[in-house]
């Protein structure tokens, strides 16, 4: 997700199910208001250190990461203590009572996590991600991917994608190359928001030419 360092004005980011472990690149996204990180490899709640200075962050989806641990109350209280401006956490509204309780039950994070030698998004050991893949059903992955993709399209003023027109990577495709391709797709959708009408027209023309080339190639192969 290093591309996020070059997107200071981005407002919505969805990187669910992508093997992400490091949130440091997000600390430059000062306009970020919604962040979807469900089912990644975020091991420590200390990664929240990089989100504490994002003044507009209101929605965070962090569930089903290793950092959530076995105590849901402690996890939620710690997140809310460090990100008290959140209005929704893991698709559940935040209450004033929770924010007050978080000051008592939550742990304050004052430092970033220790650096890991494994490159973000491409862990050397795929054992944990493979275990996640076996428990993730394809239908569940499709539902969340479709929901988050349509959220971005709504932000871009685009029509939502119908379910029968939407395709998603199989949860068994956990190799690094496919994760990178998924990240590129998300990044393209996010970057589109930065373009004006002229820029979007250029993309439309380029995509049209690429599609024609692919179709021509398919016909030749047949």
């Amino acid at each position: 997700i290093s591309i996020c360092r070059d997107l200071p004005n981005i407002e919505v980011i969805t990187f669910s199910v992508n093997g992400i472990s490091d949130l440091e690149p997000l600390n430059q996204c000062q306009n970020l208001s919604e962040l979807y990180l469900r089912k990644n490899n975020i091991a420590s709640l200390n990664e929240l250190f990089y989100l504490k200075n994002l003044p507009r962050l209101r929605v965070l989806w962090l569930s089903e990461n290793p950092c959530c641990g076995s105590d849901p109350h402690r996890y939620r209280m710690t997140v809310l203590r460090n990100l008290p401006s959140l209005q929704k956490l893991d698709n559940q509204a935040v209450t004033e009572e929770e924010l007050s309780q978080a000051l008592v039950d939550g742990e304050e994070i004052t430092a970033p996590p220790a650096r890991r030698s494994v490159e973000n998004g491409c862990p050397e050991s795929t054992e944990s991600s493979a275990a996640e893949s076996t428990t993730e059903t394809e239908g569940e992955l499709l539902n969340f991917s479709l929901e988050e993709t349509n959220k971005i399209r709504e932000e871009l003023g685009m029509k939502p994608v119908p379910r029968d027109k939407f395709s998603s990577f199989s949860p068994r495709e956990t190799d690094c190359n496919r994760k990178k391709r998924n990240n590129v797709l998300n990044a393209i959708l996010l970057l589109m928001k930065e373009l004006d009408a002229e820029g979007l027209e250029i993309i439309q023309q380029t995509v049209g030419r690429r599609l024609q080339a692919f179709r021509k190639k398919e016909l030749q192969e047949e």
Side-chain angles (χ1 to χ4, degrees):
I1 61 173
S2 58
I3 190 174
C4 294
R5 294 191 181 97
D6 301 320
L7 299 172
N9 296 321
I10 205 68
E11 296 179 12
V12 178
I13 293 178
T14 174
F15 280 134
S16 295
V17 199
N18 270 291
I20 292 167
S21 60
D22 183 1
L23 301 186
E24 185 273 334
L26 299 176
N27 67 1
Q28 302 296 322
C29 303
Q30 291 294 299
N31 287 332
L32 187 63
S33 62
E34 299 184 26
L35 178 59
Y36 301 90
L37 292 168
R38 170 185 162 273
K39 281 204 171 181
N40 279 287
N41 294 330
I42 301 169
S44 171
L45 284 176
N46 282 6
E47 293 289 343
L48 295 175
F49 178 83
Y50 300 117
L51 307 182
K52 293 182 68 171
N53 293 321
L54 302 183
R56 300 185 180 182
L57 187 62
R58 297 293 181 268
V59 177
L60 175 63
W61 201 328
L62 191 61
S63 64
E64 298 175 90
N65 274 277
C67 64
C68 298
S70 58
D71 187 343
H73 178 75
R74 178 184 175 279
Y75 152 71
R76 189 171 177 87
M77 292 295 99
T78 296
V79 175
L80 295 182
R81 176 164 183 173
N82 291 277
L83 303 175
S85 296
L86 287 181
Q87 297 175 354
K88 183 175 285 190
L89 172 60
D90 297 337
N91 208 31
Q92 182 178 344
V94 175
T95 66
E96 291 294 334
E97 292 78 8
E98 284 184 310
L99 291 175
S100 298
Q101 191 64 36
L103 296 175
V104 178
D105 295 346
E107 178 183 345
E108 185 174 4
I109 295 171
T110 59
R115 287 297 178 190
R116 294 168 294 278
S117 61
V118 179
E119 181 181 356
N120 182 39
C122 299
E124 293 174 0
S125 172
T126 59
E127 183 177 350
S128 61
S129 61
E132 278 190 325
S133 296
T134 58
T135 58
E136 171 83 79
T137 65
E138 194 162 342
E140 182 188 3
L141 179 60
L142 178 59
N143 285 336
F144 277 95
S145 298
L146 178 60
E147 175 186 342
E148 292 166 355
T149 297
N150 280 338
K151 178 65 179 177
I152 293 177
R153 293 177 68 86
E154 179 183 348
E155 292 287 329
L156 295 172
M158 302 166 66
K159 293 181 179 180
V161 181
R163 183 181 177 86
D164 60 347
K165 301 292 185 182
F166 184 82
S167 63
S168 179
F169 295 116
S170 165
R172 297 178 182 84
E173 297 175 327
T174 59
D175 60 278
C176 188
N177 288 336
R178 292 192 183 277
K179 288 177 182 176
K180 286 183 178 179
R181 184 171 64 175
N182 200 17
N183 283 341
V184 169
L185 177 60
N186 282 325
I188 290 173
L189 289 172
L190 293 168
L191 283 168
M192 286 175 62
K193 189 172 182 179
E194 305 291 324
L195 299 176
D196 56 14
E198 182 180 358
L200 291 172
E201 288 177 359
I202 293 173
I203 287 182
Q204 184 181 36
Q205 294 169 4
T206 303
V207 169
R209 288 194 294 268
R210 289 279 290 170
L211 285 173
Q212 289 179 356
F214 277 120
R215 288 166 184 162
K216 183 177 180 180
K217 182 179 179 180
E218 289 174 354
L219 290 174
Q220 291 174 346
E221 291 176 349
E222 291 177 356

